[in-house]
Amino acid sequence: GEQLGWGFQLQSPLMVAALAALFTVIGLNLVGVFEFGTLLPGNLAGVRLTHPLADSALTGVLAVAIASPCTAPFMGASLGAAATLPAPQALSVFAALGLGMALPYLLLCAWPALTAALPRPGAWMAHLRTVMAFPMFATVVWLLWVLGQQTGLDGAIGLLGVLVALAFAAWVGGHPSLGPRGRWLLGLLAAATLAATLAWALPAWRSQPEGAADVAPSGVGSNVVGSDATVPRWQAWSPARVADLHAQGRTVFVDFTAAWCVTCQFNKRTVFSDAQVLAAFDARRVVLLRADWTRRDPAITAELTRLGRNGVPVYAFYTPGAGRPRLMSELPTAADLREALAALP
């Protein structure tokens, strides 16, 4: 019964927090704080060797869950179409995506001679393992920012507390010199600390901060010639707002975005902060609206479906009397936007 979209899982603060915890644990493992084999029972530690097919399948699920929030610049149209196709055709689209992700491994299996081009094992592997922890921690920083956008400062601080407690628990579990008694006592303390911080953080993750439904302006200025210059340049989107502006004869540009969409944030800080682009919007008296899909919003999901899209970013011009909105590329340039503005009636 849920309205789904590509990357929708990151609309849930609990999912964002869970991913941050996962990446923290992976990072701690990579820097040598603990080894998974010392924490798992023997039968679980050997699952990868015993069931390689299940291991590969779950690795693929994790990779897709991580990669799915942004669909630009090539996947937006295909995924939007897949969501409206009958099951066989839709599944073929996703099968093609899975094939593309697995293709490097398939090539190595089909032509084993290609492995000769791979570097040989050595001390560099231990150094690489440590270095790879830092992208994990950087991802945690990004997820922390996303959670802060969804739940406010209290939710972000709660997540930091949980991650500190989780790091303490990982250290206790992976420290062989503590001895059985010391590990047991510190393990109880670590479990209690983690449980307490989770109980403290969960209420903040379930609530939406005051003003979260409003669009934070990405700069202050007027979209209406002669209007108050303190009006936010980007206003909150709603179908009623678009209808009201169309009744006034105004063209509307809508930015369908989300905090967890990296491409959205890149576009926001580059092309949509370009002074010439903003001046062109003002000159054509185009009203700028932002539809924030950071948290679940059935109205935005329904509008994306109507546009034939299933994820963000999506950029659209709504012109009175034009019928279907004009969609722009997921990676528009300043020239693309100025050209589209020049073509407006």
Side-chain angles (χ1 to χ4, degrees):
E2 296 286 351
Q3 288 184 307
L4 304 183
W6 196 246
F8 76 98
Q9 69 272 17
L10 289 183
Q11 293 175 332
S12 167
L14 287 175
M15 175 60 76
V16 173
L19 285 175
L22 172 64
F23 286 123
T24 299
V25 169
I26 292 173
L28 293 173
N29 171 253
L30 290 172
V31 296
V33 172
F34 74 98
E35 298 295 337
F36 283 108
T38 63
L39 300 181
L40 296 174
N43 60 333
L44 290 179
V47 165
R48 176 165 188 161
L49 297 177
T50 307
H51 305 287
L53 183 61
D55 175 74
S56 297
L58 291 176
T59 301
V61 170
L62 177 62
V64 172
I66 295 167
S68 64
C70 276
T71 64
F74 307 114
M75 292 167 56
S78 60
L79 290 173
T84 63
L85 290 172
Q89 291 94 319
L91 290 175
S92 68
V93 173
F94 289 103
L97 292 173
L99 179 63
M101 296 184 72
L103 190 58
Y105 302 98
L106 294 175
L107 290 175
L108 289 173
C109 291
W111 291 282
L114 293 176
T115 58
L118 299 178
R120 293 286 168 254
W124 66 269
M125 297 177 67
H127 300 312
L128 178 62
R129 167 178 164 154
T130 302
V131 169
M132 292 306 296
F134 294 97
M136 298 296 102
F137 295 139
T139 304
V140 174
V141 173
W142 167 64
L143 290 168
L144 178 67
W145 177 77
V146 171
L147 190 73
Q149 297 292 311
Q150 295 174 328
T151 64
L153 182 61
D154 288 346
I157 295 299
L159 177 58
L160 284 174
V162 169
L163 297 183
V164 171
L166 188 62
F168 176 54
W171 176 81
V172 171
H175 206 292
S177 63
L178 291 175
R181 181 179 176 83
R183 181 177 294 188
W184 186 80
L185 291 174
L186 285 177
L188 284 180
L189 176 61
T193 303
L194 184 58
T197 53
L198 275 172
W200 167 54
L202 280 173
W205 296 347
R206 292 194 179 103
S207 63
Q208 188 168 358
E210 293 183 9
D214 300 327
V215 174
S218 63
V220 173
S222 171
N223 296 123
V224 183
V225 176
S227 68
D228 186 353
T230 63
V231 174
R233 182 178 292 280
W234 291 92
Q235 303 170 33
W237 171 90
S238 71
R241 178 64 173 151
V242 174
D244 179 59
L245 290 167
H246 278 184
Q248 302 174 32
R250 304 295 301 277
T251 296
V252 177
F253 179 81
V254 182
D255 170 14
F256 293 89
T257 185
W260 36 261
C261 171
V262 177
T263 306
C264 301
Q265 302 310 314
F266 174 80
N267 292 339
K268 188 184 300 183
R269 285 162 174 74
T270 54
V271 63
F272 292 117
S273 296
D274 185 277
Q276 293 183 348
V277 170
L278 295 176
F281 277 120
D282 290 342
R284 300 293 297 186
R285 296 176 55 85
V286 175
V287 180
L288 304 179
L289 303 183
R290 182 160 281 151
D292 192 343
W293 210 37
T294 300
R295 295 193 70 148
R296 291 179 181 176
D297 190 317
I300 295 177
T301 305
E303 184 65 10
L304 288 172
T305 301
R306 190 177 77 87
L307 295 174
R309 294 292 186 267
N310 202 34
V312 292
V314 173
Y315 306 109
F317 281 97
Y318 292 73
T319 305
R324 188 172 180 81
R326 176 182 175 179
L327 297 178
M328 301 294 294
S329 163
E330 287 89 348
L331 283 175
T333 65
D336 293 336
L337 289 170
R338 291 197 298 268
E339 181 181 345
L341 288 165
L344 292 176

